[in-house]
Amino acid sequence: MFKISFWQVSALITILWVFARYCVWKKYRKTAKQPTLSNEVKLLMFYACIIILARIVYFPWHHINGRIGALNFNFQKLFPPRVNLIPFVHLVDNYAGWQMNIIGNISMFIPIGIILPACFKQLKTVWKTIIAGSSISLFIEITQLMFYERCSDVDDLIMNTTGVLIGALIYFGNKKIKRIR
């Protein structure tokens, strides 16, 4: 068994992010398509969302000795995976905090639904934004299978996608209002 800290995950995400931004810069450095400061600020907000999502979905809420708890990886405990593929079975279980689970899963993906279309011009419709956002959620649910303390749940995917939908409706609704004015 080995432990993975939040700071290690953040460092990995940061390295991948810097590499991706470098590749984009290198590709477009001699063309008119060079990223603007405005686009870079939007992308920086997307990066921040990724770091925050990683903190929320992978690591325990409670602190251990004043620090964020680690992810525990143990190959022997990977099987059987903890997965719920039946919608709404455990959504309203009688455990403390189920309401916070619903609200949290929806609200943490609202910013994703706003930031994705703002950053990526290819996501010019609500449906494309929903597909991209639900793909991020699906990636999270699949990667949670590697950690025996985490559970992958179709309800999380549904609620996260609902959050992306709300965010996308806010973004495109605001865009439409600005166009009308």
Side-chain angles (χ1 to χ4, degrees):
M1 179 170 89
F2 65 91
K3 296 179 182 281
I4 303 168
S5 74
F6 171 66
W7 303 112
Q8 290 169 320
V9 169
S10 295
L12 176 64
I13 292 170
T14 301
I15 290 167
L16 292 172
W17 183 263
V18 168
F19 177 73
R21 295 309 305 143
Y22 174 75
C23 290
V24 169
W25 172 80
K26 190 165 176 112
K27 181 177 179 180
Y28 294 115
R29 72 174 181 231
K30 295 179 183 174
T31 68
K33 289 186 174 183
Q34 218 168 6
T36 64
L37 179 61
S38 164
N39 286 342
E40 289 300 319
V41 169
K42 291 175 191 173
L43 288 169
L44 195 57
M45 290 185 339
F46 182 63
Y47 163 79
C49 279
I50 292 170
I51 295 290
I52 292 166
L53 276 177
R55 166 59 179 101
I56 293 170
V57 300
Y58 292 112
F59 296 92
W61 278 99
H62 60 281
H63 287 146
I64 300 167
N65 296 327
R67 295 181 183 198
I68 297 170
L71 274 173
N72 296 313
F73 179 81
N74 187 340
F75 187 76
Q76 295 172 343
K77 292 186 177 182
L78 282 180
F79 300 100
R82 294 178 48 187
V83 180
N84 173 33
L85 297 175
I86 303 168
F88 310 117
V89 169
H90 300 292
L91 188 60
V92 191
D93 279 348
N94 291 326
Y95 70 92
W98 64 267
Q99 298 97 336
M100 190 61 180
N101 180 38
I102 294 170
I103 294 167
N105 272 301
I106 293 172
S107 63
M108 78 177 164
F109 270 79
I110 291 174
I112 296 295
I114 295 170
I115 290 173
L116 279 175
C119 291
F120 304 104
K121 303 239 183 278
Q122 302 89 338
L123 304 176
K124 52 188 166 200
T125 66
V126 172
W127 291 112
K128 288 181 179 181
T129 304
I130 290 170
I131 290 168
S134 61
S135 297
I136 293 170
S137 179
L138 182 61
F139 173 80
I140 289 168
E141 295 303 317
I142 290 170
T143 56
Q144 283 182 338
L145 292 172
M146 295 187 299
F147 305 101
Y148 67 90
E149 295 170 334
R150 307 304 304 168
C151 178
S152 293
D153 193 338
V154 71
D155 294 339
D156 290 346
L157 186 60
I158 293 167
M159 290 182 288
N160 296 346
T161 302
T162 302
V164 172
L165 170 64
I166 293 168
L169 290 174
I170 291 169
Y171 176 81
F172 289 106
N174 187 39
K175 201 171 172 182
K176 190 172 186 175
I177 290 170
K178 285 182 179 179
R179 225 181 4 247
I180 291 171
R181 286 184 186 170

